[in-house]
Amino acid sequence: MTADRTGHRASAAPAYDVVVAGGGPAGAAAALALGRAGRTVLLADAATGPPPVGEALPAAARVLLHDLDAQDVLDGRHHLPCYANLSAWGSDDLAAQDSILDPHGHGWHLDRGRFDRELRERARLLGTDVAERTTARPAGRSGDGTWTVELRGPRERRTVRCRWLVDATGRRASLATAAGARRVVHDRLVALCLTLPPSTTPAPDASTLVEAAPDGWWYTALLPAGHRLLARYNGHGPTACTRKSSHCDSLVARKQRRVPTRFTTVNRPAGGDTAGKHDGD
């Protein structure tokens, strides 16, 4: 019987080929791909922090989901088809990129909670051990290259051994930084996000809308439950919003009132095909 440097016994713990930290789409896809390759996998889903914001899935994701044998997680009952992307770059005119021109079909606006859960369940059915509400931290590395990983959940604390680690925790990079990695900052882009209640005046369609603004851009998309996501992207970092919180609130209020009217001004040719003008592309 041996112990790692934290004092936890490790030799009695089950061994895995891979421990994946992060239960979002990246972590679940990694677990699915590894499971299909015959690897033994433990997927640790911490489920901490605010609900995920990213809800748009491009049509090309169908290819990836098909490769993972998980293409049927997308359906029109729980996720909202997106048939066009609207954009305004450099002018007030909206241009449209319609899904009819995409060989993969239309994109999707996701119910992210459901989408993430179903991908994790697919990994579980393939043999992955899914540890819900559990964090993973490297506790040491042996001379043979195997890792000892500490798992902390609501009801237990244990260690497991594995050959490889996969960090799919996103921006936090919790597994990598705990193992000694350092973050490299390339820019200070942040997003101020707001979920709006269902409108009394429904949008004419579920297109995404992107509009250029000083120091960034606006983004909005309809969510499957009828709510709307409104986001303001800014390249000056989080302090830009905290220093000018009242200004940000004013911008959001004005954009919230303007969103419904923007969908009626899209620049499409008479035949309904994609507009020829794509400013900023």
Side-chain angles (χ1 to χ4, degrees):
M1 185 72 68
T2 60
D4 61 30
R5 60 183 176 84
T6 66
H8 295 286
R9 294 179 177 179
S11 61
Y16 296 92
D17 288 323
V18 188
V19 168
V20 179
L32 280 167
L34 290 163
R36 288 171 60 82
R39 301 296 183 178
T40 56
V41 183
L42 184 142
L43 175 62
D45 176 29
T48 58
V53 172
E55 81 304 320
L57 191 71
R62 279 189 174 86
V63 178
L64 301 178
L65 291 172
H66 182 271
D67 290 344
L68 296 172
D69 196 24
Q71 63 272 19
D72 55 342
V73 299
L74 295 175
D75 64 75
R77 294 183 299 115
H78 302 106
H79 307 291
L80 190 64
C82 174
Y83 294 103
N85 296 314
L86 312 180
S87 61
W89 295 101
S91 77
D92 286 336
D93 295 332
L94 279 181
Q97 183 173 2
D98 291 294
S99 63
I100 195 171
L101 299 180
D102 191 319
H104 302 296
H106 61 75
W108 296 89
H109 292 162
L110 301 175
D111 176 339
R112 267 299 298 277
R114 185 182 189 91
F115 182 73
D116 292 7
R117 286 193 303 273
E118 291 194 354
L119 284 180
R120 289 195 298 270
E121 183 59 25
R122 294 305 174 89
R124 192 197 308 272
L125 293 174
L126 201 59
T128 293
D129 285 346
V130 180
E132 304 282 356
R133 295 188 295 163
T134 298
T135 60
R137 294 290 185 274
R141 195 173 190 184
S142 303
D144 62 358
T146 59
W147 291 88
T148 299
V149 181
E150 183 181 84
L151 303 175
R152 295 185 180 184
R155 293 183 298 274
E156 67 174 348
R157 177 175 170 177
R158 60 190 174 109
T159 58
V160 298
R161 290 176 293 111
C162 66
R163 298 176 62 191
W164 298 288
L165 301 175
V166 174
D167 190 333
T169 61
R171 182 176 178 270
R172 296 192 309 276
S174 58
L175 195 65
T177 53
R182 293 188 301 171
R183 292 187 180 90
V184 178
V185 178
H186 293 286
D187 58 53
R188 295 180 56 79
L189 182 67
V190 296
L192 178 67
C193 301
L194 178 66
T195 300
L196 306 176
S199 174
T200 56
T201 306
D205 58 41
S207 301
T208 58
L209 171 62
V210 179
E211 184 174 347
D215 303 318
W217 66 91
W218 288 96
Y219 169 86
T220 186
L222 196 64
L223 301 178
H227 295 73
R228 176 172 292 280
L229 176 67
L230 178 63
R232 174 65 159 88
Y233 288 81
N234 186 291
H236 293 302
T239 56
C241 287
T242 57
R243 288 199 309 265
K244 304 176 181 179
S245 59
S246 61
H247 177 60
C248 288
D249 291 343
S250 176
L251 285 174
V252 168
R254 290 203 303 272
K255 182 58 65 173
Q256 179 178 350
R257 291 192 296 269
R258 191 183 179 197
V259 162
T261 62
R262 289 297 273 152
F263 285 94
T264 65
T265 60
V266 59
N267 177 23
R268 280 191 174 96
D273 294 330
T274 302
K277 180 180 180 182
H278 293 272
D279 295 317
D281 288 349

